[in-house]
């Protein structure tokens, strides 16, 4: 029987908090149960196990990121929209490292479509329209943006840039400028 007051949403928030504090790899049903002061069976009464728990953290992270990115992009276009969009992800990655890591977990197609996936797609498309990237090329441009932005953020979070000067923060504007240049020249880049 589920514990009174314990809900799936509360459990997911606890798991996301644990991920941010200790790392995504430390999020287990047992660890979350300890954090909320219940036995693991109480967590299982609300969720379908560890994979369901992690999928829900992924969904939470994607929804939060979409909300922040949408707020950042609102009223902007072109380079300004791109920079604000990218910075929203960077700010989120620093504020919520465990949730950000969870956002990279693959979801089943139905889960992705039922969650924030379509919103991320719409945001990406709105940025690309500011560059006149042909719709037929959107998937390629989105992959480029994602690989560059999230690749940089993942390497930065792992400390991969810590061994050299200047700091990674100094490279970030150059990354955005390079993406802007590629997108501006997209139609002539073939």
């Amino acid at each position: 029987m589920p514990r009174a007051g314990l809900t799936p949403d509360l459990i997911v928030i606890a798991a996301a908090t644990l991920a941010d504090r200790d790392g995504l790899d430390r999020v287990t049903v047992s660890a979350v149960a300890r954090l909320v002061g219940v036995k693991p069976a109480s967590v299982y009464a609300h969720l379908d196990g560890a994979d369901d728990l992690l999928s829900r953290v992924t969904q939470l992270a994607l929804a939060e990121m979409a909300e922040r990115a949408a707020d950042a992009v609102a009223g902007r276009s072109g380079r300004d929209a791109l920079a604000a969009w990218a910075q929203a992800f960077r700010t989120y990655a620093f504020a919520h490292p465990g949730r950000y890591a969870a956002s990279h977990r693959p979801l089943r197609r139905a889960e992705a479509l039922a969650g924030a996936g379509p919103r991320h797609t719409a945001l990406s498309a709105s940025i690309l329209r500011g560059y006149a990237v042909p719709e037929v090329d959107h998937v390629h441009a989105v992959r480029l943006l994602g690989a560059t932005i999230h690749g940089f953020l993942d390497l930065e979070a792992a400390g991969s840039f810590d061994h050299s000067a200047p700091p990674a923060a100094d490279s970030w504007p150059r990354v955005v400028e390079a993406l802007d240049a590629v997108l501006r020249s997209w139609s002539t880049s073939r």
Side-chain angles (χ1 to χ4, degrees):
M1 168 161 280
R3 179 179 172 198
L6 190 63
T7 66
D9 288 343
L10 256 170
I11 293 168
V12 172
I13 293 295
T17 300
L18 180 65
D20 288 339
R21 187 186 74 196
D22 297 343
L24 184 62
D25 60 331
R26 300 296 193 115
V27 176
T28 64
V29 170
S30 295
V32 173
R34 279 191 301 278
L35 186 63
V36 297
V38 300
K39 301 238 184 258
S42 295
V43 173
Y44 283 111
H46 291 282
L47 305 174
D48 292 330
D51 190 53
D52 184 31
L53 175 64
L54 291 173
S55 290
R56 289 176 187 234
V57 173
T58 299
Q59 292 283 24
L60 172 69
L62 290 171
E64 289 175 344
M65 289 168 53
E67 186 68 29
R68 285 163 178 78
D71 287 347
V73 170
R76 293 184 162 99
S77 65
R79 191 212 173 280
D80 288 342
L82 174 66
W85 182 72
Q87 188 59 43
F89 290 125
R90 188 164 192 260
T91 301
Y92 188 85
F94 277 97
H96 300 289
R99 294 176 204 209
Y100 181 75
S103 75
H104 298 333
R105 288 185 74 253
L107 295 170
R108 291 186 303 270
R109 181 172 170 74
E111 286 178 309
L113 292 175
R119 189 153 190 217
H120 281 279
T121 300
L123 284 166
S124 300
S126 72
I127 288 168
L128 295 176
R129 278 192 299 275
Y131 287 97
V133 172
E135 194 167 329
V136 68
D137 285 346
H138 277 198
V139 70
H140 306 300
V142 167
R143 288 174 180 164
L144 173 69
L145 291 172
T148 305
I149 291 167
H150 297 298
F152 185 95
L153 295 176
D154 288 344
L155 289 169
E156 185 177 22
S160 298
F161 302 137
D162 292 350
H163 65 282
S164 61
D170 290 358
S171 299
W172 181 250
R174 291 174 183 245
V175 168
V176 174
E177 287 297 327
L179 287 172
D180 175 63
V182 168
L183 293 175
R184 276 187 286 112
S185 64
W186 189 277
S187 62
T188 61
S189 65
R190 290 186 188 207

